[in-house]
Amino acid sequence: MYRWDRCIPRRNELGPDGEPGLRLPVKLLHFADLHLDAHFAWAPTPVARKRRENLRATLRRIVQLAHAEAVEAVLCGGDLYEHERVTPDTTAFLRATLADLDPIPVFLAPGNHDWYGPASLYARVAWTRNVHVFTEDRLRPVELASGITLWGGAHRAPANTDDFLSGFNLDEGPNARSMVNLGLFHAAERGGLAFQEEGKAPHAAFDAGEIERSELDHVFLGHFHAPKDGSRLTYPGNPDPLTFGEVGERGAVIASIGADGSVERRRVRVATSEVHDIAIDVNNAGSRQEIYEIVARALVGREGSVRLTLSGEISKAVEISSADLEPLFAGLDGHVLRIDGLRPAYDVAALAEEATVRGRFIRDVLGQGLDPELRRRVLTTGLRALDGRTDLEVA
Amino acid sequence: MRIERVSAIAFGPLLDQTLEFSDGLNVVFGPNEAGKSTWHAALYAGLCGVRRSRGQPIAEDRAFRDLHMPWDGERWDVEVLVRLEDGRRIDIRQDLAGKVDCRATDVSLGTDVSNEIMFEGSPDGSRWLGLDRRAFRATACIGQAQLLGIADDPDLLQEHMQRAAATRGSDATAAQAIDGLEAFRRAQVGEDRANSTRPLRRAKVGRDEAEAELAEATRQHATFLLLGEAADGAARRAGETAAELGSLQALAARRASDEARRRASRATEIAGRYPDGPPLGPIADEDLASRVASAVDAWERRPEPILLDGPTSHELSLSLDQLPPVPAGDLAPAAEVVGAKAAFDREREAVRLLSDPTLERGASGIAIGAAGAVATAAGAGSRAPGQRPVILAGGALALAFAGLVAVPVSVALGVALLVPAVVLALWAAIEHRRALSVGQPVGRASDGMADGWAARRAERTAALRLSESRLAGLLESRGITIADLDEGYERYLADCQRRAGQARTAAPADDLRARVEAKRDLEQRAAQTADLVARIEAELRQVAAQVGVGEPERGARLEGREGGRGFEDTVAGLRAWQADRTRNLEAQETARHEWQELEMLLRADSLVDLRGEAERLAARAEELRRGIAPGAAASIDAAANPDHRIAELQAELATRRSEADRLAGQLAQMAGSLPSVAEAEERLAAADAQLARVAQLERVLITTIELLRQAEQQVHRDLAPVLGSAIARSLPRISGGRYVDAAVNPADLAVKVKSSGDGHWRDARLLSHGTQEQIYLLLRIAMADQLVADGEISPLICDEVTVQSDEARALELLRLLQEASRERQVIVLTHDERALAWAEANLVDGRDRLIQLGPQLARA
């Protein structure tokens, strides 16, 4: 069994057996789902590049945090990078950054995005001595110190990885029945899927009850981007925002492991990216200028990336488009502007009563059974055209 | 709806002024600058108010404000009192400046009914008509310019109808809206053709390009990963080879170090033995050593001395000379001669017997008897009792045959055999005659026997001559030429006897002669041996003297083994000398070899250099040993001869490093130009979004156009007959009977009128201006009726509608308006004196009203 404390001189006292040991509680740093080299479909190339740089900066922050907190080890629960998009210099970056942790050992449990294979960075990089990569698709033990064993596993394919806890036997370890047994892997706890982002696939799915049956004292996980703390599991969430609308206190988790296997957690924000999700109701705005001023006020003091959603009923005479508001985002890294929630102040019900083409048109549109979004756009487009307007593209 | 009163509290130049209206036709007359247009605007603003919103007002509202807001003071208020068809009387107050104190109040109940008509932030009384302030102005307010427009642009009539049909006249016509949508679609979507540069095509092309770009980026990325894996594998293999090579080189270095250390140690050792330089060369005593070796060897192989006893060879030669010579010729009768003589004798006797007639006859009888017996035996084969003659005859024949055969050999034996043969033959004949009657067979046997006898005699005679010749030849060859062979033979026998006696006398000569030869030989060898021994002795003495070994005593002689005793010490001394010399030679050889070895070890260097080289190699070996993994060193120790393997590994390492470098180079080159998959995905996402946007826009526009066109057609179909009948009702009267009917085309709302004269339908746009104006008014009224909500009738407010018309047309318009006022309130503002005159003459008290305005103050 791999023992990092045998290859890395540590400051700890000798244990009861004369072996190097740790003074409990043991402090660990856990993070996951950084997704280096991820793509940002919403962003233009310069913005996306900046976001990817921020992901790297966040990893450097994690390293700084590990040193500042004097943790005994750093755990990564997978999806550290994205294999299908990894760039050549990510190799050197990861090696150098994780080398900066030395002598703090770092344990990497490859996930479904950074699955372990012969072509993966994990296999190709000449890691420094403080880096340990779990390479088997079953939990294998690593002795953190006398009495504390970390069981880690790896995804070895981008999909179809089996439940790590299914059939797991604590007695497989050479020093079975450590005082404390911890888990580290990338997997979806079925009960938490409902609280995750849409489309989150249940990779290596398991039930929370399996942890107790496995007799692992605590499992440090990756995969869910929304943070989640269970009595015996911890999802730290993605440490740097990957999309808009992420909620919950995400970041790195400083975990203190007690002699009885208990875990005390503290979350530390390490994100480099500032991401704001702003929704503004501009109801009754009477002019483009008025809307412009409202948005400008909302953006005061904002940095990073902003998703701005405008909604409300505005005068039908107001002609406003995304391009009109673009200058307001000039100082930000990136932005997404959604104005499809704006409703021109047509009194559709009244207009529908007219014995005019307009009234007939409204009645026909409403009676067509169109999907709501298309109906909204067709109605607004038609009314604008009948108003003689030229801004006929409805956001 | 009827407007009972309008109060310009503060509106333009008007201040606290009020106009009250009747339910019918109201003619508001005033000269220029009397404020007619202001009252027209006040009526509109009082009834409909103005739009209230945050921010800057739109241009239309701004223009209205600039035109009608009081020049001094902050107030801009107007108030109207209207009566609805349901009987309610509503006071509408418009705070046009602050847009705050706006309200509609049911004057009967005192309740605020503003919420019934709130539109764009302020009360809009036209909402009770089912209109809004823009639609009211477009339909119920008829300005001078509109009638002028009809005169200048006949198509305006149709457009007005279309505009009203589309949006109650407030905005674009449906056709214009559709045209705008089509134009927008062409510009913002375009066709999906190969050569199109419009957004839809561009978006699709862009999307295809982005997709291809992503596919290429993904492909290159996958290749990059595989290449990286291959490069890593090649580097790993090169590393493994380098490690193995390093281990072997370490081993080789260690061995070289050991060897250098050994050489240095050996060189030091040898050099220590020869501190004075190279050892001396060999002593030049090879010849002496060779002589000593030869002498000792000769001594060891010295011959035994030969002892001579008995008579000497000379004495024996004298005895030999006294013996007779050995006679020549046969000493005993030669067997061939004896045999030839015997043969001659036999042949001679055989011929004699064969020449004896008695014997010849006897032989015939034997033949006859035998033949008869034989014949009897043959003929009485089945007669058993007659066998005895046969036996007898057989015996006679056998003996006779033997006798005949024996005669040439021995006459006596032949005769001895023939006699009993004759007896047996006779006995057989007797027996035969007694047993049988004898026939021809016996006779034939007798004849045959006689013939054989003669032949035999001739044969033996020839043999006799031959033996005779042979015997004579043999005797002649022995010097006997006597004709009588018997005598010659006897002489031969006598000669043999004589020579035998002589030979017996000369018999010892050969032995003696041999003894002489042997003795001579022995005597010669003895002399040679003695000479050899003497020479050995002399050589021993010489070499002993040369090497300094004690010589044998002067009297000592090497005479056989026993006699060599005196020389043994000398030989032992010589052998000791030889042994010493051999040891010396060996020592010299060893020294020489060692010195050569030292020279080899040092080569051209000094001993110090050699030690330094050993130390350098030791350091190198240690350095290489530290560079290899401990396990590797242990495993390599077993390698017996690493040099060959090192050469192999060096070649293999060169190949593997070349391959690793090649792959690493490819990898580095590819890394430098590797497209970003993430960026390609982002570009594809952007292209997808753009295509989706354009595609959605196209769908929206197509759907909108389709539904708008459908609505237009439907409304036109619904509206056309209503408008047509509305025009037709008043058309004969306003046209003086020239046109009796009207029709509206539902496709484009074009108006046609039917002539009362020829019954033809004419396009209204081709009629006189006056008729067009009248039709326009009729359309306005009809449209207002059509567009106003059920249960309400919109008032009609006309500003200077007659000023540009000739008198007849002006009067006709007024009559038409009065006609219309029977169903709705009509307010006509005019400065036309003809209108004033007409009003004074035609307005009906109680129903209509004439209002004459005084002159207003001009703007300051």
Side-chain angles (χ1 to χ4, degrees), chain B residues 306-310 519 521-524 526-527:
Chain B
I306 299 172
L307 297 177
L308 298 174
D309 55 359
K519 196 67 174 188
D521 183 63
L522 185 62
E523 288 170 351
Q524 187 177 7

Side-chain angles (χ1 to χ4, degrees), chain A residues 49 52 85 290 354 393, chain B residues 54 168 679 681 693:
Chain A
R49 284 178 181 166
R52 283 189 279 275
R85 300 176 179 87
E290 188 177 353
E354 287 182 358
E393 181 173 0
Chain B
R54 289 175 291 186
R168 296 184 295 207
E679 291 183 8
E681 287 176 320
R693 184 191 70 78

Side-chain angles (χ1 to χ4, degrees), chain A residues 39-40 48-49 52 83-86 118 124 283-285 290 350 354 356-358 364 377 386-387 393, chain B residues 54 127 165-168 171-172 177 221 225 229 232 678-679 681-682 693 696 699-700 710 714-715 787:
Chain A
H39 74 296
F40 297 89
R49 284 178 181 166
R52 283 189 279 275
H83 177 76
E84 301 302 324
R85 300 176 179 87
V86 66
R124 294 188 51 215
N283 204 27
N284 294 325
E290 188 177 353
E354 287 182 358
T356 60
V357 174
R358 179 166 56 193
D364 287 349
R377 291 172 189 271
L386 288 169
D387 283 348
E393 181 173 0
Chain B
R54 289 175 291 186
R127 300 295 294 158
T167 59
R168 296 184 295 207
D171 290 302
H221 191 265
L225 293 177
E229 183 182 349
D232 288 349
E679 291 183 8
E681 287 176 320
E682 286 152 5
R693 184 191 70 78
Q696 184 184 53
R699 187 181 176 201
V700 168
Q710 173 185 310
Q714 186 60 46
V715 167
L787 299 179

Side-chain angles (χ1 to χ4, degrees), chain B residues 426-506:
Chain B
L426 290 175
W427 186 13
I430 294 168
E431 287 292 323
H432 176 68
R433 290 179 185 278
R434 191 172 53 195
L436 302 166
S437 59
V438 178
Q440 282 183 334
V442 176
R444 285 195 300 267
S446 177
D447 294 342
M449 191 66 191
D451 294 342
W453 188 269
R456 186 65 183 169
R457 184 171 56 235
E459 181 183 341
R460 299 320 315 165
T461 300
L464 175 60
R465 289 193 186 100
L466 190 61
S467 61
E468 182 180 27
S469 175
R470 173 173 172 77
L471 179 61
L474 289 171
L475 290 174
E476 187 176 0
S477 68
R478 285 168 173 78
I480 299 173
T481 56
I482 299 173
D484 185 351
L485 293 178
D486 292 329
E487 185 181 351
Y489 184 71
E490 288 301 326
R491 187 173 177 180
Y492 169 70
L493 293 176
D495 287 346
C496 287
Q497 187 174 9
R498 181 184 49 81
R499 284 193 294 266
Q502 186 180 343
R504 279 190 297 275
T505 304

Side-chain angles (χ1 to χ4, degrees), chain B residues 115-138:
Chain B
N115 61 339
E116 295 183 16
I117 55 172
M118 288 302 290
F119 180 70
E120 293 182 336
S122 62
D124 180 1
S126 68
R127 300 295 294 158
W128 278 308
L129 300 173
L131 305 176
D132 56 46
R133 55 179 67 94
R134 292 185 67 218
F136 181 81
R137 185 160 58 185

Side-chain angles (χ1 to χ4, degrees), chain B residues 236-257:
Chain B
R236 185 174 59 253
R237 287 190 292 276
E240 291 168 353
T241 303
E244 185 179 358
L245 178 60
S247 298
L248 282 174
Q249 286 175 329
L251 175 62
R254 196 189 70 196
R255 289 186 175 180
S257 170

